[in-house]
Amino acid sequence: MILRTLILLFLILCSSCVFAPSRKEFAQVYFNLGNAYLKLGEAESAARAFLKAAEYDNGFASATFNLAKSYMLAGRYGNALEIIESLLEEEEDNATLRSVQAYCYY
């Protein structure tokens, strides 16, 4: 139900605006879609949505982190670690990133 609602909102956003939505708006829609997929337990679908969000807004750290989290939940630990380690280059003392890193290595 959440997924259908988000898709409907996405379609309304795309069709009802006189002006084209910004890249950040598209990124936010894909981010919300990814979160809905995570709640449904669909990690691979969530990863695809977070990847699109990050493509639309490459500075969207939450989408990038959630992409890593989705990969981890899907058992794609190598992909998750690549992202986590790149995020750690900017925030090496981030406890949440270290926790996900440790889980992937475990």
Side-chain angles (χ1 to χ4, degrees):
M1 186 65 175
I2 294 171
L3 178 60
R4 288 184 182 160
T5 303
L6 286 172
I7 291 172
L8 180 61
L9 287 173
F10 178 75
L11 293 173
I12 290 170
L13 176 69
C14 291
S15 65
S16 66
C17 296
V18 173
F19 301 103
S22 72
R23 294 184 67 79
K24 288 190 184 289
E25 289 171 323
F26 274 117
Q28 188 63 51
V29 169
Y30 278 108
F31 179 75
N32 292 340
L33 183 60
N35 285 326
Y37 277 129
L38 277 182
K39 286 182 182 179
L40 294 171
E42 297 182 26
E44 288 291 342
S45 296
R48 285 191 295 276
F50 291 129
L51 186 58
K52 280 297 246 189
E55 287 173 3
Y56 276 107
D57 182 359
N58 62 4
F60 198 169
S62 296
T64 305
F65 173 76
N66 282 8
L67 174 60
K69 183 178 168 184
S70 298
Y71 284 153
M72 180 188 72
L73 293 172
R76 295 172 59 182
Y77 302 111
N79 295 108
L81 280 170
E82 283 180 36
I83 294 168
I84 293 299
E85 289 171 0
S86 71
L87 292 172
L88 281 168
E89 289 176 6
E90 297 174 25
E91 294 184 64
E92 69 180 49
D93 294 331
N94 186 310
T96 302
L97 293 174
R98 292 287 179 195
S99 176
V100 172
Q101 182 188 39
Y103 184 88
C104 289
Y105 278 124
Y106 177 73

